[in-house]
Each structure stands twice: as C-alpha cells, then as structure tokens.
Amino acid sequence: MTTPPPASTASPAPPDDAQLLRLAHEAADRAYVPYSRFPVGAALLTRSGRIVLGCNVENASYGLTICAERTGATRMIAESGDADDRRIVKVAVVGTKASPCFPCGACRQVLHEFGCEEVVVEIDGAPRSYPFAEILPHGFGPADLEPTTGSEA
Ligand SMILES: [Zn+2]
C-alpha cells in the first residue's frame, strides 16, 4: 500500500517557523528519492493562511526530478484559484541530510514567481529566517514583463 500524498491544511492562526519546519520534516519523510537518498521537504505558507507541503520526487531519467519547493508550489496552484491561496508568504525547507538546506536556483525562481517573501531553513535544529530578496537578489519576475514607461517604441 502506498502512502497518500501530503495533505494541504488550513490553520486558524499563522504557524510559527518551528511549526513550519516540523511540517517540512513530515513532507521530507514522504520524499521519493530512490536515487539520491536525499530527502527534502517544504512547507509553503500562503497569504490566506493555507499550508501546502511538498517533497522531492525523483525519476529514473534523473532530469525529470522535481524539488520539494516546486512540488509544493505546483500543488498550491492546482488546489486553489483564490489569489491569496496562490501567494507565498514564506516557505520552510528542510533536507534531512543537509542543514541548512536552501532552495536551489530553479526553486528560488519559481518561489519568486508567487511572491515568496521569506525562506526559513533549519540551522542546528532551530529555524532561521531570511528575507527572500536576500536569497534571490534582483530576481526576474512577472513585473519584469510589464511594459515600462519611456522605453516603448
Ligand atoms: Zn530546487
């Protein structure tokens, strides 16, 4: 019997960073990592207060492997059309074999797409928070595709 995918949960009060890290650990426990054996979990907190979990999912082709943060982001989008459910306030990321475990470059770009404001990682067993602009300075995002005044032909 297979373990069901991690469920999204709604919380009446915003979880603290330690709670988000615990949820990220739970997601990491469900990671599908037969090749790297490097489980990673992510807990995304949306503007609406929803928590969406993600874990890395590997593939025998290797190149199709997807990280925990991106499985969380895709679930977040697939599960709700509400604008506040699609904006990331913060994401907690844990790697059970690496501490801290920061999002990779691809995940930073995807998190930026959905307005991520903060990244929480685990250092010596405790949460440590970073402003998103600190881990992806000068990120390219949706606003960069908007026409700019003065440069239009
Ligand atoms: Zn990644």
Side-chain angles (χ1 to χ4, degrees), residues 4 22 27 36 44 60 74 92 106 109 111 118-119 121-122 125 128 138:
R22 275 195 296 278
S36 73
L44 288 66
T74 54
Q109 183 65 38
L111 293 168
E118 186 179 340
V119 173
V121 294
E122 189 173 52
R128 171 95 185 263
H138 314 290

Side-chain angles (χ1 to χ4, degrees), residues 119-131:
V119 173
V120 178
V121 294
E122 189 173 52
I123 297 178
D124 296 328
R128 171 95 185 263
S129 174
Y130 293 84

Side-chain angles (χ1 to χ4, degrees), residues 67-70 103-108:
C67 301
E69 301 91 319
R70 283 182 283 148
C104 76
C107 288
R108 292 176 196 211

Side-chain angles (χ1 to χ4, degrees), residues 130-150:
Y130 293 84
F132 193 79
E134 194 172 306
I135 70 157
L136 185 63
H138 314 290
F140 181 85
D144 294 304
L145 297 178
E146 299 293 324
T148 56
T149 56

